[in-house]
Amino acid sequence: MIEVKNLVKKYGNHTAVKNLSFTVEKGQVYGFLGPNGAGKSTTMNIIIGYLSATSGEVLINGHSIFEEPEEAKRYIGYLPEIPPLYLDMTVKEYLFFAAELKKIPKKVRTKNVKEAMEMTMITQMENRLIKHLSKGYKQRVGLAQAVLGYPEIIILDEPTVGLDPKQIIEIRDLIKKLSEKHTIILSSHIMQEISAVCDHILIINKGELVAEGTPEQLTELAQPTQEVKLRVKGNKSVIENVLKGMKKVHRQEFSISEEEGTVDVLVYAVKEADVREELFHTFAKENLPILFMSAQVKSLEDIFLEVTDESKKYVPSKTSKKKETKETVNENKTEELNENMETVESGDENESDL
């Protein structure tokens, strides 16, 4: 649905977006993740046609946002970080005004506005002045504006910034509901936000795509071997010798235990091996009781910190992408994601998102 090809945006000598390329497929929720100043908002504003690009191409359902802006924008609903609301209008007045701006035909305008309010659960607020609404309801009004006209793609830029925990949960639930009928791009620097609602993740840093894939793919690539944390009752040297005799154990790291007479050890398995059962039986055979065992899994936050490390530069993949579904995506991206995660030395300067 969206193809971004070699996108570049410069402001004088500052490059906010560097040769950025990615594809958004129909029917998924994409998380656009990155630290503050990574280039997320700049990229979003170029995709929706609000900003021009220095070079590159953006296609929306085959229509160039630069050469056919009106046709391309028909497919997009957009909610910026600060919703474009007219505070002295009622909710209903504002949505009819937005529908007119979007050139929604008069014969279906009333029905469209009603359904947008129902979808975002603001019907009971239709006659309230927007300035009297809570921030959570203002976000809902902004979302209602974005879904007017039934756009195939909805782009949300930091939709939960400044909301309280209850409002955040409500907006996330609403995004999940919208994803049933729309393709969604959610821009955020909040990892929990992305993990909660997204099927596919794009991580951008310094204007470049540094990693992408499903949450499972990114976890697998950041942690290619199993890691198991153990607390074992016994002598460290004996435990170390037992682990060295296990073929599926690649290496181990010992740490100070909180319990007297026990040892904490982090065990790294060889690639694609599950060592938990073997650990249990082996230590039981040697009369070394395992008091605690837990498989360690890297979080999205761990992956994010790794790929946005300021001391490293991650090389974006140039592999062309085929159309994928949620069921088939796992097999097709492994090779290119491995390429994305490779590191090389870099002296890049810190950059800010304009």
Side-chain angles (χ1 to χ4, degrees):
M1 296 193 74
I2 298 179
E3 292 180 77
V4 176
K5 300 178 180 179
N6 302 315
L7 196 64
V8 176
K9 179 62 179 178
K10 294 183 178 181
Y11 296 93
N13 294 326
H14 171 70
T15 303
V17 179
K18 303 177 183 178
N19 295 313
L20 185 61
S21 297
F22 61 87
T23 301
V24 172
E25 302 290 351
K26 186 175 182 179
Q28 296 194 53
V29 181
Y30 281 74
F32 203 44
L33 183 63
N36 289 326
K40 301 186 306 296
S41 294
T42 298
T43 303
M44 294 295 97
N45 285 327
I46 293 173
I47 290 174
I48 65 167
Y50 182 72
L51 288 177
S52 63
T54 304
S55 62
E57 187 176 22
V58 177
L59 300 177
I60 314 293
N61 271 0
H63 300 281
S64 171
I65 194 67
F66 308 126
E67 298 176 5
E68 304 173 86
E70 286 196 22
E71 187 65 29
K73 289 177 185 179
R74 287 176 52 197
Y75 299 99
I76 299 175
Y78 178 53
L79 176 65
E81 183 175 344
I82 301 175
L85 305 177
Y86 290 89
L87 302 183
D88 290 324
M89 285 184 173
T90 66
V91 171
K92 190 174 181 179
E93 287 171 343
Y94 169 73
L95 291 177
F96 270 97
F97 173 66
E100 186 175 354
L101 289 178
K102 291 188 174 188
K103 299 182 181 180
I104 296 173
K106 287 184 179 180
K107 61 182 179 180
V108 297
R109 198 173 293 168
T110 299
K111 179 175 180 289
N112 203 260
V113 168
K114 180 182 177 181
E115 290 179 352
M117 288 193 294
E118 289 174 351
M119 186 180 298
T120 54
M121 295 175 284
I122 56 172
T123 303
Q124 71 274 26
M125 301 290 177
E126 64 179 3
N127 294 316
R128 293 274 298 272
L129 290 175
I130 293 175
K131 66 182 177 182
H132 293 153
L133 298 178
S134 68
K135 188 163 185 178
Y137 270 108
K138 286 176 182 175
Q139 287 291 86
R140 288 176 179 269
V141 175
L143 275 169
Q145 167 275 138
V147 302
L148 281 173
Y150 310 110
E152 294 182 33
I153 303 162
I154 298 177
I155 298 176
L156 309 174
D157 191 359
E158 305 283 1
T160 61
V161 168
L163 301 184
D164 64 38
K166 183 175 183 295
Q167 292 169 335
I168 289 173
I169 292 171
E170 290 174 349
I171 294 298
R172 286 178 183 172
D173 289 341
L174 183 52
I175 291 170
K176 290 178 182 177
K177 183 180 178 181
L178 291 173
S179 70
E180 295 173 3
K181 296 182 178 179
H182 304 270
T183 298
I184 295 177
I185 301 177
L186 171 63
S187 172
S188 180
H189 64 276
I190 303 172
M191 270 66 72
Q192 297 91 332
E193 187 99 326
I194 300 297
S195 297
V197 299
C198 295
D199 306 308
H200 194 97
I201 298 169
L202 305 165
I203 302 180
I204 187 174
N205 189 38
K206 298 181 179 180
E208 297 180 284
L209 185 66
V210 294
E212 71 165 308
T214 65
E216 295 79 12
Q217 286 176 321
L218 292 178
T219 299
E220 182 180 340
L221 289 166
Q223 189 176 7
T225 62
Q226 186 185 55
E227 298 175 18
V228 182
K229 187 174 182 179
L230 301 173
R231 176 166 294 172
V232 184
K233 188 174 183 180
N235 181 273
K236 177 184 173 182
S237 60
V238 174
I239 294 169
E240 187 173 10
N241 287 331
V242 170
L243 290 171
K244 286 181 178 180
M246 295 177 62
K247 293 182 179 180
K248 289 184 180 180
V249 173
H250 172 60
R251 64 186 176 92
Q252 58 276 331
E253 293 178 0
F254 289 90
S255 58
I256 299 173
S257 174
E258 298 174 354
E259 296 184 56
E260 187 177 351
T262 66
V263 175
D264 282 357
V265 56
L266 183 60
V267 176
Y268 295 85
V270 297
K271 192 172 183 180
E272 299 179 355
D274 187 339
V275 296
R276 289 173 294 179
E277 283 191 35
E278 186 178 347
L279 284 168
F280 173 81
H281 291 298
T282 302
F283 278 88
K285 185 179 179 181
E286 298 294 333
N287 294 317
L288 296 169
I290 296 177
L291 304 182
F292 171 86
M293 179 189 293
S294 174
Q296 304 296 293
V297 179
K298 284 193 177 182
S299 66
L300 182 58
E301 183 175 358
D302 296 327
I303 298 164
F304 174 81
L305 291 172
E306 182 177 341
V307 301
T308 58
D309 189 332
E310 294 294 328
S311 67
K312 301 173 182 177
K313 178 181 177 182
Y314 289 80
V315 183
S317 171
K318 297 181 181 179
T319 305
S320 60
K321 301 177 181 66
K322 298 179 181 179
K323 188 170 182 178
E324 295 158 328
T325 64
K326 293 180 183 178
E327 290 75 20
T328 61
V329 70
N330 288 336
E331 297 179 0
N332 296 339
K333 290 187 179 288
T334 302
E335 182 176 346
E336 70 177 273
L337 285 169
N338 276 321
E339 185 179 342
N340 286 347
M341 301 287 282
E342 292 177 359
T343 60
V344 295
E345 294 297 325
S346 172
D348 287 355
E349 298 178 356
N350 293 338
E351 297 174 353
S352 61
D353 191 1
L354 299 182

